[in-house]
mmCIF file of all heavy atoms in Angstrom:
data_model
loop_
_atom_site.group_PDB
_atom_site.id
_atom_site.type_symbol
_atom_site.label_atom_id
_atom_site.label_comp_id
_atom_site.label_asym_id
_atom_site.label_seq_id
_atom_site.Cartn_x
_atom_site.Cartn_y
_atom_site.Cartn_z
ATOM 1 N N ILE B 52 14.618 -8.248 -11.271
ATOM 2 C CA ILE B 52 13.499 -8.270 -12.394
ATOM 3 C C ILE B 52 12.489 -9.409 -11.847
ATOM 4 O O ILE B 52 11.213 -9.068 -11.874
ATOM 5 C CB ILE B 52 14.087 -8.798 -13.671
ATOM 6 C CG1 ILE B 52 15.124 -7.764 -14.179
ATOM 7 C CG2 ILE B 52 12.949 -9.085 -14.593
ATOM 8 C CD1 ILE B 52 15.852 -8.323 -15.496
ATOM 9 N N ILE B 53 12.955 -10.565 -11.435
ATOM 10 C CA ILE B 53 12.042 -11.548 -10.978
ATOM 11 C C ILE B 53 11.137 -11.085 -9.730
ATOM 12 O O ILE B 53 10.125 -11.240 -9.643
ATOM 13 C CB ILE B 53 12.848 -12.894 -10.710
ATOM 14 C CG1 ILE B 53 13.552 -13.278 -12.009
ATOM 15 C CG2 ILE B 53 11.913 -14.008 -10.244
ATOM 16 C CD1 ILE B 53 14.719 -14.294 -11.826
ATOM 17 N N ALA B 54 12.045 -10.534 -8.794
ATOM 18 C CA ALA B 54 11.327 -10.107 -7.507
ATOM 19 C C ALA B 54 10.273 -9.156 -7.800
ATOM 20 O O ALA B 54 9.248 -9.090 -7.268
ATOM 21 C CB ALA B 54 12.320 -9.567 -6.493
ATOM 22 N N SER B 55 10.373 -8.209 -8.807
ATOM 23 C CA SER B 55 9.549 -7.200 -9.043
ATOM 24 C C SER B 55 8.280 -7.797 -9.618
ATOM 25 O O SER B 55 7.174 -7.430 -9.285
ATOM 26 C CB SER B 55 10.114 -6.157 -9.990
ATOM 27 O OG SER B 55 10.265 -6.701 -11.290
ATOM 28 N N ARG B 56 8.349 -8.977 -10.421
ATOM 29 C CA ARG B 56 7.281 -9.549 -10.992
ATOM 30 C C ARG B 56 6.526 -10.214 -9.929
ATOM 31 O O ARG B 56 5.300 -10.164 -9.863
ATOM 32 C CB ARG B 56 7.826 -10.642 -12.055
ATOM 33 C CG ARG B 56 8.283 -9.995 -13.376
ATOM 34 C CD ARG B 56 8.590 -11.042 -14.425
ATOM 35 N NE ARG B 56 9.444 -10.845 -15.413
ATOM 36 C CZ ARG B 56 9.906 -11.415 -16.213
ATOM 37 N NH1 ARG B 56 9.863 -12.753 -16.124
ATOM 38 N NH2 ARG B 56 10.633 -10.978 -17.319
ATOM 39 N N GLN B 57 7.259 -10.941 -9.039
ATOM 40 C CA GLN B 57 6.507 -11.803 -8.055
ATOM 41 C C GLN B 57 5.795 -10.900 -7.081
ATOM 42 O O GLN B 57 4.702 -11.284 -6.555
ATOM 43 C CB GLN B 57 7.555 -12.717 -7.323
ATOM 44 C CG GLN B 57 8.082 -13.839 -8.303
ATOM 45 C CD GLN B 57 9.041 -14.602 -7.589
ATOM 46 O OE1 GLN B 57 9.629 -14.179 -6.533
ATOM 47 N NE2 GLN B 57 9.297 -15.782 -8.091
ATOM 48 N N ASN B 58 6.452 -9.862 -6.596
ATOM 49 C CA ASN B 58 5.778 -9.087 -5.658
ATOM 50 C C ASN B 58 4.538 -8.144 -6.134
ATOM 51 O O ASN B 58 3.671 -7.976 -5.424
ATOM 52 C CB ASN B 58 6.716 -7.995 -5.046
ATOM 53 C CG ASN B 58 7.718 -8.788 -4.082
ATOM 54 O OD1 ASN B 58 7.142 -9.208 -3.014
ATOM 55 N ND2 ASN B 58 8.846 -8.999 -4.383
ATOM 56 N N GLY B 59 4.520 -7.961 -7.370
ATOM 57 C CA GLY B 59 3.507 -7.285 -8.084
ATOM 58 C C GLY B 59 2.987 -6.020 -7.239
ATOM 59 O O GLY B 59 3.678 -5.221 -6.857
ATOM 60 N N PHE B 60 1.771 -6.084 -6.995
ATOM 61 C CA PHE B 60 0.951 -5.021 -6.468
ATOM 62 C C PHE B 60 1.271 -4.904 -5.020
ATOM 63 O O PHE B 60 1.214 -3.740 -4.475
ATOM 64 C CB PHE B 60 -0.591 -5.380 -6.544
ATOM 65 C CG PHE B 60 -1.390 -4.219 -6.132
ATOM 66 C CD1 PHE B 60 -1.341 -2.994 -6.797
ATOM 67 C CD2 PHE B 60 -2.372 -4.526 -5.258
ATOM 68 C CE1 PHE B 60 -2.179 -1.980 -6.368
ATOM 69 C CE2 PHE B 60 -3.199 -3.463 -4.917
ATOM 70 C CZ PHE B 60 -3.014 -2.169 -5.483
ATOM 71 N N SER B 61 1.613 -5.943 -4.222
ATOM 72 C CA SER B 61 1.617 -5.802 -2.814
ATOM 73 C C SER B 61 2.895 -5.348 -2.217
ATOM 74 O O SER B 61 2.959 -5.221 -1.017
ATOM 75 C CB SER B 61 1.325 -7.242 -2.235
ATOM 76 O OG SER B 61 2.532 -8.062 -2.557
ATOM 77 N N ASN B 62 3.863 -5.014 -2.993
ATOM 78 C CA ASN B 62 5.271 -4.824 -2.395
ATOM 79 C C ASN B 62 5.310 -3.427 -1.607
ATOM 80 O O ASN B 62 5.872 -3.378 -0.501
ATOM 81 C CB ASN B 62 6.254 -4.630 -3.528
ATOM 82 C CG ASN B 62 7.651 -4.959 -2.975
ATOM 83 O OD1 ASN B 62 7.712 -5.694 -1.878
ATOM 84 N ND2 ASN B 62 8.621 -4.522 -3.558
ATOM 85 N N GLN B 63 4.595 -2.459 -1.972
ATOM 86 C CA GLN B 63 4.791 -1.160 -1.338
ATOM 87 C C GLN B 63 3.695 -0.736 -0.242
ATOM 88 O O GLN B 63 3.399 0.305 -0.191
ATOM 89 C CB GLN B 63 4.865 0.105 -2.457
ATOM 90 C CG GLN B 63 6.177 0.018 -3.168
ATOM 91 C CD GLN B 63 6.221 -1.016 -4.266
ATOM 92 O OE1 GLN B 63 5.282 -1.069 -4.910
ATOM 93 N NE2 GLN B 63 7.426 -1.491 -4.511
ATOM 94 N N GLN B 64 3.269 -1.762 0.332
ATOM 95 C CA GLN B 64 2.145 -1.576 1.250
ATOM 96 C C GLN B 64 2.567 -1.983 2.662
ATOM 97 O O GLN B 64 2.391 -2.971 3.045
ATOM 98 C CB GLN B 64 0.899 -2.302 0.925
ATOM 99 C CG GLN B 64 0.457 -1.738 -0.506
ATOM 100 C CD GLN B 64 -0.597 -2.757 -1.096
ATOM 101 O OE1 GLN B 64 -0.757 -3.780 -0.528
ATOM 102 N NE2 GLN B 64 -1.040 -2.465 -2.168
ATOM 103 N N PRO B 65 3.084 -0.937 3.446
ATOM 104 C CA PRO B 65 3.470 -1.292 4.827
ATOM 105 C C PRO B 65 2.290 -1.727 5.691
ATOM 106 O O PRO B 65 2.537 -2.497 6.523
ATOM 107 C CB PRO B 65 3.875 0.109 5.430
ATOM 108 C CG PRO B 65 4.131 0.896 4.212
ATOM 109 C CD PRO B 65 3.261 0.441 3.122
ATOM 110 N N TYR B 66 1.091 -1.357 5.314
ATOM 111 C CA TYR B 66 -0.079 -1.837 6.069
ATOM 112 C C TYR B 66 -0.834 -2.828 5.296
ATOM 113 O O TYR B 66 -0.631 -2.884 4.064
ATOM 114 C CB TYR B 66 -1.012 -0.663 6.390
ATOM 115 C CG TYR B 66 -0.498 0.310 7.333
ATOM 116 C CD1 TYR B 66 -0.147 1.585 6.895
ATOM 117 C CD2 TYR B 66 -0.204 0.062 8.651
ATOM 118 C CE1 TYR B 66 0.348 2.588 7.833
ATOM 119 C CE2 TYR B 66 0.383 0.970 9.539
ATOM 120 C CZ TYR B 66 0.539 2.181 9.177
ATOM 121 O OH TYR B 66 1.129 3.054 9.982
ATOM 122 N N GLY B 67 -1.638 -3.614 5.913
ATOM 123 C CA GLY B 67 -2.605 -4.394 5.200
ATOM 124 C C GLY B 67 -1.926 -5.678 4.611
ATOM 125 O O GLY B 67 -0.851 -5.915 4.834
ATOM 126 N N GLN B 68 -2.818 -6.513 4.032
ATOM 127 C CA GLN B 68 -2.365 -7.823 3.759
ATOM 128 C C GLN B 68 -1.810 -7.918 2.283
ATOM 129 O O GLN B 68 -1.738 -6.931 1.557
ATOM 130 C CB GLN B 68 -3.606 -8.869 3.853
ATOM 131 C CG GLN B 68 -4.233 -8.780 5.131
ATOM 132 C CD GLN B 68 -5.086 -7.589 5.436
ATOM 133 O OE1 GLN B 68 -5.505 -6.860 4.409
ATOM 134 N NE2 GLN B 68 -5.314 -7.160 6.616
ATOM 135 N N ASN B 69 -1.579 -9.081 1.998
ATOM 136 C CA ASN B 69 -1.068 -9.288 0.629
ATOM 137 C C ASN B 69 -2.345 -9.230 -0.281
ATOM 138 O O ASN B 69 -2.844 -10.227 -0.742
ATOM 139 C CB ASN B 69 -0.424 -10.666 0.492
ATOM 140 C CG ASN B 69 0.415 -10.906 -0.751
ATOM 141 O OD1 ASN B 69 0.439 -9.916 -1.640
ATOM 142 N ND2 ASN B 69 1.275 -11.860 -0.806
ATOM 143 N N TYR B 70 -2.596 -8.101 -0.691
ATOM 144 C CA TYR B 70 -3.778 -7.922 -1.566
ATOM 145 C C TYR B 70 -3.655 -8.249 -2.969
ATOM 146 O O TYR B 70 -4.561 -8.478 -3.753
ATOM 147 C CB TYR B 70 -4.358 -6.488 -1.504
ATOM 148 C CG TYR B 70 -5.059 -6.089 -0.222
ATOM 149 C CD1 TYR B 70 -4.519 -5.062 0.508
ATOM 150 C CD2 TYR B 70 -6.055 -6.759 0.144
ATOM 151 C CE1 TYR B 70 -5.071 -4.660 1.658
ATOM 152 C CE2 TYR B 70 -6.679 -6.502 1.564
ATOM 153 C CZ TYR B 70 -6.109 -5.423 2.221
ATOM 154 O OH TYR B 70 -6.875 -4.953 3.344
ATOM 155 N N GLY B 71 -2.436 -8.256 -3.473
ATOM 156 C CA GLY B 71 -2.143 -8.373 -4.844
ATOM 157 C C GLY B 71 -2.391 -9.774 -5.501
ATOM 158 O O GLY B 71 -2.838 -10.675 -4.775
ATOM 159 N N ALA B 72 -2.257 -9.845 -6.667
ATOM 160 C CA ALA B 72 -2.382 -11.070 -7.393
ATOM 161 C C ALA B 72 -1.518 -12.100 -6.825
ATOM 162 O O ALA B 72 -0.360 -11.712 -6.342
ATOM 163 C CB ALA B 72 -2.301 -10.969 -8.813
ATOM 164 N N ALA B 73 -1.760 -13.430 -6.904
ATOM 165 C CA ALA B 73 -0.827 -14.377 -6.467
ATOM 166 C C ALA B 73 0.528 -14.292 -7.120
ATOM 167 O O ALA B 73 0.549 -14.258 -8.326
ATOM 168 C CB ALA B 73 -1.538 -15.874 -6.578
ATOM 169 N N PRO B 74 1.479 -14.310 -6.356
ATOM 170 C CA PRO B 74 2.893 -14.220 -6.989
ATOM 171 C C PRO B 74 3.129 -15.516 -7.867
ATOM 172 O O PRO B 74 2.726 -16.649 -7.419
ATOM 173 C CB PRO B 74 3.787 -14.147 -5.785
ATOM 174 C CG PRO B 74 3.101 -14.577 -4.692
ATOM 175 C CD PRO B 74 1.624 -14.362 -4.917
ATOM 176 N N GLN B 75 3.897 -15.259 -8.908
ATOM 177 C CA GLN B 75 4.166 -16.350 -9.754
ATOM 178 C C GLN B 75 5.465 -17.115 -9.236
ATOM 179 O O GLN B 75 6.514 -16.500 -9.261
ATOM 180 C CB GLN B 75 4.219 -15.793 -11.228
ATOM 181 C CG GLN B 75 5.040 -16.607 -12.177
ATOM 182 C CD GLN B 75 5.511 -15.758 -13.438
ATOM 183 O OE1 GLN B 75 5.251 -14.562 -13.375
ATOM 184 N NE2 GLN B 75 6.355 -16.451 -14.175
ATOM 185 N N GLN B 76 5.311 -18.277 -8.805
ATOM 186 C CA GLN B 76 6.476 -18.935 -8.141
ATOM 187 C C GLN B 76 6.621 -20.456 -8.718
ATOM 188 O O GLN B 76 6.270 -21.310 -8.105
ATOM 189 C CB GLN B 76 6.342 -18.998 -6.694
ATOM 190 C CG GLN B 76 6.389 -17.597 -6.067
ATOM 191 C CD GLN B 76 6.139 -17.543 -4.632
ATOM 192 O OE1 GLN B 76 5.596 -18.424 -4.017
ATOM 193 N NE2 GLN B 76 6.666 -16.664 -3.798
ATOM 194 N N PRO B 77 7.216 -20.516 -9.855
ATOM 195 C CA PRO B 77 7.165 -21.906 -10.572
ATOM 196 C C PRO B 77 7.951 -22.850 -9.741
ATOM 197 O O PRO B 77 7.709 -24.071 -9.811
ATOM 198 C CB PRO B 77 7.742 -21.560 -11.904
ATOM 199 C CG PRO B 77 8.261 -20.300 -11.857
ATOM 200 C CD PRO B 77 7.639 -19.569 -10.728
ATOM 201 N N TYR B 78 9.000 -22.557 -9.015
ATOM 202 C CA TYR B 78 9.784 -23.327 -8.454
ATOM 203 C C TYR B 78 9.684 -23.495 -6.859
ATOM 204 O O TYR B 78 10.576 -23.963 -6.187
ATOM 205 C CB TYR B 78 11.363 -23.028 -8.759
ATOM 206 C CG TYR B 78 11.544 -23.485 -10.227
ATOM 207 C CD1 TYR B 78 11.450 -22.517 -11.182
ATOM 208 C CD2 TYR B 78 12.053 -24.827 -10.533
ATOM 209 C CE1 TYR B 78 11.600 -22.803 -12.471
ATOM 210 C CE2 TYR B 78 12.206 -24.994 -11.788
ATOM 211 C CZ TYR B 78 12.093 -24.060 -12.809
ATOM 212 O OH TYR B 78 12.272 -24.479 -14.173
ATOM 213 N N GLY B 79 8.578 -22.949 -6.418
ATOM 214 C CA GLY B 79 8.377 -23.131 -5.017
ATOM 215 C C GLY B 79 9.017 -22.013 -4.083
ATOM 216 O O GLY B 79 9.726 -21.167 -4.566
ATOM 217 N N ASN B 80 8.457 -21.996 -2.955
ATOM 218 C CA ASN B 80 8.813 -20.862 -2.057
ATOM 219 C C ASN B 80 10.321 -20.808 -1.707
ATOM 220 O O ASN B 80 10.771 -19.792 -1.471
ATOM 221 C CB ASN B 80 7.939 -21.045 -0.674
ATOM 222 C CG ASN B 80 6.665 -20.384 -0.913
ATOM 223 O OD1 ASN B 80 6.500 -19.433 -1.614
ATOM 224 N ND2 ASN B 80 5.746 -20.879 -0.207
ATOM 225 N N GLN B 81 11.047 -21.857 -1.634
ATOM 226 C CA GLN B 81 12.342 -21.773 -1.006
ATOM 227 C C GLN B 81 13.299 -20.979 -1.881
ATOM 228 O O GLN B 81 14.210 -20.375 -1.388
ATOM 229 C CB GLN B 81 12.844 -23.303 -0.831
ATOM 230 C CG GLN B 81 13.013 -23.994 -2.077
ATOM 231 C CD GLN B 81 11.792 -24.875 -2.541
ATOM 232 O OE1 GLN B 81 10.700 -24.451 -2.358
ATOM 233 N NE2 GLN B 81 12.202 -26.045 -3.018
ATOM 234 N N TYR B 82 12.949 -20.838 -3.110
ATOM 235 C CA TYR B 82 13.907 -19.945 -3.986
ATOM 236 C C TYR B 82 13.526 -18.542 -3.841
ATOM 237 O O TYR B 82 14.384 -17.737 -3.945
ATOM 238 C CB TYR B 82 13.850 -20.479 -5.386
ATOM 239 C CG TYR B 82 14.277 -21.797 -5.675
ATOM 240 C CD1 TYR B 82 13.559 -22.827 -5.831
ATOM 241 C CD2 TYR B 82 15.763 -21.985 -5.523
ATOM 242 C CE1 TYR B 82 13.944 -24.212 -6.092
ATOM 243 C CE2 TYR B 82 16.249 -23.356 -5.886
ATOM 244 C CZ TYR B 82 15.442 -24.393 -5.959
ATOM 245 O OH TYR B 82 15.950 -25.582 -6.065
ATOM 246 N N SER B 83 12.262 -18.189 -3.768
ATOM 247 C CA SER B 83 11.970 -16.756 -3.846
ATOM 248 C C SER B 83 11.795 -16.061 -2.575
ATOM 249 O O SER B 83 11.834 -14.818 -2.560
ATOM 250 C CB SER B 83 10.522 -16.686 -4.654
ATOM 251 O OG SER B 83 9.554 -17.344 -3.910
ATOM 252 N N GLN B 84 11.701 -16.774 -1.459
ATOM 253 C CA GLN B 84 11.425 -16.112 -0.257
ATOM 254 C C GLN B 84 12.396 -15.015 0.093
ATOM 255 O O GLN B 84 12.184 -14.004 0.469
ATOM 256 C CB GLN B 84 11.189 -17.050 0.833
ATOM 257 C CG GLN B 84 9.731 -17.266 1.100
ATOM 258 C CD GLN B 84 9.462 -18.101 2.278
ATOM 259 O OE1 GLN B 84 10.373 -18.547 2.942
ATOM 260 N NE2 GLN B 84 8.262 -18.253 2.699
#
Side-chain angles (χ1 to χ4, degrees):
Chain B
I52 298 175
I53 300 159
S55 69
R56 288 182 191 169
Q57 289 179 343
N58 282 290
F60 186 55
S61 65
N62 199 29
Q63 282 84 35
Q64 296 164 358
Y66 294 110
Q68 306 74 20
N69 195 349
Y70 284 123
Q75 162 198 352
Q76 293 175 337
Y78 288 88
N80 275 332
Q81 66 269 39
Y82 291 107
S83 57
Q84 265 189 354

